[in-house]
Amino acid sequence: NELAQALQLNPNNVLAAVLLTQLYTEGGDHERTAELEATLQKYAPKNPALLVLKMSRSVAEKDYATALSLADEASSGLPLPAAGAQPSQESANLGNSLLSMLQVVFAANFDQTKCLGVAGWIYATQSRFPEAAQFLGRAYEMTGDPRTGERLGRVRARMQN
């Protein structure tokens, strides 16, 4: 398939890796998922799709603490688009993958406050500022966490521009 070929040519191709991750995990193809993870670990250990693969495995194993930690790490690497700009396709797809797994963690009632904060930041990186402000605002009200407050401030500033 074209995605696998693109990833063979460039293991750092985030978009191809994220799309393959979605394809394999949603299709329940555990063998290909394991092969993809091994390839990324060997040739592109900094590819954010590797975090998505690990998070997917953690969610499947109901290891929600690890899954949430990986989501936080992956989302922290997502850039906030420039004012008025749209997020890259890579960031949008990566964010969507993370959000779908965060829903599972949230539904399991595991550290919902942190889930809200991570989801809020992902929405911000997708230029979905009203949702980002809502999620980050709720997380900040619950914890007073300085990083969440800083992110909330950045989102509110974008909403005013």
Side-chain angles (χ1 to χ4, degrees):
N1 116 10
E2 292 177 18
L3 290 172
Q5 289 174 343
L7 198 57
Q8 276 185 326
L9 291 172
N10 178 8
N12 290 307
N13 184 330
V14 175
L15 183 58
V18 169
L19 292 174
L20 278 173
T21 299
Q22 290 172 340
L23 181 68
Y24 294 162
T25 56
E26 290 172 7
D29 193 337
H30 303 293
E31 185 177 317
R32 281 189 164 171
T33 302
E35 289 173 10
L36 177 59
E37 184 175 343
T39 298
L40 291 174
Q41 187 67 48
K42 183 175 181 179
Y43 297 110
K46 296 196 185 290
N47 189 324
L50 184 58
L51 296 172
V52 173
L53 278 168
K54 290 178 179 180
M55 183 183 177
S56 176
R57 186 172 9 96
S58 296
V59 167
E61 295 169 355
K62 297 185 179 356
D63 180 0
Y64 299 128
T66 300
L68 190 52
S69 177
L70 290 164
D72 190 31
E73 183 180 349
S75 68
S76 292
L78 293 173
L80 192 62
Q86 291 298 313
S88 70
Q89 188 175 4
E90 293 169 355
S91 288
N93 285 336
L94 185 63
N96 288 337
S97 293
L98 294 170
L99 286 168
S100 69
M101 288 183 279
L102 271 174
Q103 288 176 337
V104 175
V105 175
F106 187 85
N109 290 320
F110 186 85
D111 199 348
Q112 292 186 332
T113 305
K114 188 168 183 178
C115 287
L116 290 170
V118 172
W121 183 247
I122 293 169
Y123 285 133
T125 66
Q126 294 179 329
S127 297
R128 296 168 63 179
F129 297 117
E131 291 146 303
Q134 178 185 3
F135 279 67
L136 289 167
R138 283 185 56 204
Y140 186 69
E141 287 172 10
M142 297 165 94
T143 65
D145 176 61
R147 183 176 86 159
T148 303
E150 182 269 332
R151 288 177 168 181
L152 178 59
R154 291 175 67 186
V155 166
R156 287 182 176 162
R158 285 290 174 90
M159 291 174 68
Q160 291 176 351
N161 292 337

